Amino acid sequence: MTSTSSTSTYSALSSYGWDENWADAFAPHAAEGLLPGRVVRVDRGQCDVVTADGVLRADTAFVTPHDPLRVVCTGDWVAVDPDGGNPRYVRTYLPRRTAFVRSTSSKRSEGQILAANVDHAIVAVSLAVELDLARIERFLALAWESGAQPVVVLTKADLVPDPVTLAYLVQDVETAAPGVPVLSVSAEQGEGLDVLAAVVSGGTAVLLGQSGAGKSTLANALLGEDVMGVQAIRDVDGKGRHTTTTRNLLALPGGGVLIDTPGLRGVGLFDAGSGVDQVFAEIAELAEECRFHDCAHESEPGCAVLAAIDSGALPERRLESYRKLMRENQRIVAKTDARVRAEIRKEYKRRGAIGKAAMEAKRGGLR
């Protein structure tokens, strides 16, 4: 690729996130005459790729490995055939900077990649229903693990007209999301959109949340036009149907790009131990003060975490949520890691011995 064409490519793709680092990574493929582009949608073995020549349809047959985490996904930067073939083919994709991955619903230990090269993970949470802090923590664990910066957006803020009540709801979420910006937004009334637009203008953002969280309405508000379809929400439970059925990457008028995703009913962890630790940073800090380095924070003497529970400094709900996510993550990792399986068996035996000793002590006290 000549310097003139490189400049043209940079100019045409810069609004989709193309930069000098991507250009350097693509250089070997440019030498082969391949065309750089970003995947804006994947569907049935083919994908839409935005290039300097416009959006083209390409086949992914050459980049469809058995590993589901290595398939082409929305947000990937790829190398496609130049003019000629019909269809054109994706020949490879550039190494990902970040990847948002969840476990599949199958019993096998497999991950599903939802989006690649994401800078901000926007977790949309509807204020039309009661807050589920544990679910928010689950989304945040996956977001932190991906390498992206999470942002929690409380949608439909116009349904909470009392500012004091709204402030308390924001505070509750902030407690469950240390280090994460929490914004309240009303797409219907345009409140809070300027702040969110400023956050996402500097890169790629992925929009996540359950069906009915208002993601498509939020996407339309950020885009400034009705690009994404919107469906009514059921009055019974505040849930909606999947308006978005594929992951779509769209350029924002104020800068940056947005990946809108289908509503996620299940959000299973996939090797997200560091993400869980990030969500529960205060528990990780307390754990460093425990008497035993392998403290399980259950009944051990000198446990700083339990002491914080007793003093009221740490809500018990947070510890229960932490335990649940850590157990789930361990089970996923153990399916492919024999060492982790052995550690889990060892831990079960240790707990069994503690329980047995407690029962024997209780029986001795009754004599």
Side-chain angles (χ1 to χ4, degrees):
M1 187 180 294
T2 66
S3 59
T4 302
S5 61
S6 296
T7 302
S8 174
T9 297
Y10 186 93
S11 176
L13 294 178
S14 61
S15 60
Y16 286 89
W18 184 258
D19 57 29
E20 292 181 2
N21 291 329
W22 287 122
D24 290 343
F26 191 81
H29 309 300
E32 298 174 1
L34 296 174
L35 192 67
R38 193 167 195 190
V39 177
V40 297
R41 177 177 174 175
V42 178
D43 150 54
R44 298 180 181 177
Q46 294 191 332
C47 61
D48 294 334
V49 182
V50 60
T51 71
D53 298 334
V55 178
L56 56 85
R57 191 74 167 161
D59 198 296
T60 63
F62 291 110
V63 281
T64 308
H66 294 297
D67 183 352
L69 295 182
R70 295 175 59 202
V71 299
V72 170
C73 77
T74 303
D76 273 326
W77 285 100
V78 297
V80 298
D81 290 332
D83 294 337
N86 185 21
R88 302 195 196 184
Y89 286 92
V90 174
R91 297 296 172 173
T92 188
Y93 63 83
L94 300 184
R96 294 161 177 159
R97 293 178 182 175
T98 62
F100 195 97
V101 180
R102 69 167 177 175
S103 67
T104 61
S105 57
S106 67
K107 295 182 180 179
R108 294 176 295 177
S109 178
E110 291 183 348
Q112 177 191 18
I113 184 163
L114 299 178
N117 302 312
V118 171
D119 300 296
H120 291 94
I122 303 172
V123 180
V125 180
S126 173
L127 289 175
V129 294
E130 185 176 352
L131 286 177
D132 186 343
L133 296 179
R135 179 170 287 274
I136 294 173
E137 289 162 346
R138 177 180 291 273
F139 270 109
L140 292 177
L142 292 179
W144 281 122
E145 190 68 32
S146 76
Q149 166 67 52
V151 179
V152 177
V153 174
L154 303 180
T155 65
K156 308 179 185 180
D158 52 289
L159 298 181
V160 187
D162 179 22
V164 175
T165 301
L166 181 59
Y168 277 124
L169 291 171
V170 171
Q171 186 177 32
D172 285 345
V173 177
E174 287 176 338
T175 302
V180 176
V182 179
L183 309 176
S184 60
V185 170
S186 169
E188 294 290 339
Q189 298 183 0
E191 297 176 359
L193 288 175
D194 54 342
V195 178
L196 179 58
V199 169
V200 302
S201 64
T204 298
V206 62
L207 193 51
L208 306 160
Q210 289 183 286
S211 298
K215 297 190 305 301
S216 295
T217 302
L218 189 60
N220 286 335
L222 290 171
L223 290 162
E225 55 183 317
D226 291 339
V227 175
M228 311 307 298
V230 178
Q231 291 182 342
I233 306 303
R234 295 195 302 249
D235 291 333
V236 174
D237 53 13
K239 295 181 180 179
R241 290 170 290 176
H242 294 304
T243 302
T244 305
T245 56
T246 58
R247 287 172 278 279
N248 304 282
L249 185 147
L250 304 157
L252 296 171
V257 293
L258 180 70
I259 299 176
D260 191 20
T261 66
L264 301 174
R265 289 193 181 94
V267 192
L269 300 186
F270 186 81
D271 197 4
S274 63
V276 174
D277 283 338
Q278 188 96 25
V279 176
F280 299 92
E282 78 277 34
I283 295 179
E285 291 177 7
L286 287 167
E288 295 180 0
E289 302 175 14
C290 291
R291 181 184 301 177
F292 304 107
H293 70 88
D294 60 347
C295 183
H297 320 308
E298 292 183 347
S299 58
E300 297 86 349
C303 175
V305 175
L306 293 180
I309 293 287
D310 291 339
S311 69
L314 177 68
E316 189 168 357
R317 186 207 66 78
R318 287 279 286 171
L319 180 57
E320 286 303 315
S321 183
Y322 170 77
R323 286 170 173 163
K324 180 179 180 180
L325 292 181
M326 287 299 286
R327 285 195 299 268
E328 178 183 328
N329 192 65
Q330 268 196 326
R331 287 196 297 270
I332 290 293
V333 175
K335 291 181 179 179
T336 56
D337 192 323
R339 179 184 60 81
V340 174
R341 287 198 298 273
E343 288 178 354
I344 291 175
R345 285 196 294 269
K346 182 179 178 181
E347 178 64 13
Y348 283 159
K349 289 181 180 179
R350 185 185 74 85
R351 293 182 185 179
I354 291 175
K356 183 177 180 181
M359 287 299 295
E360 289 178 350
K362 184 176 181 181
R363 290 193 189 105
L366 294 175
R367 290 174 184 171

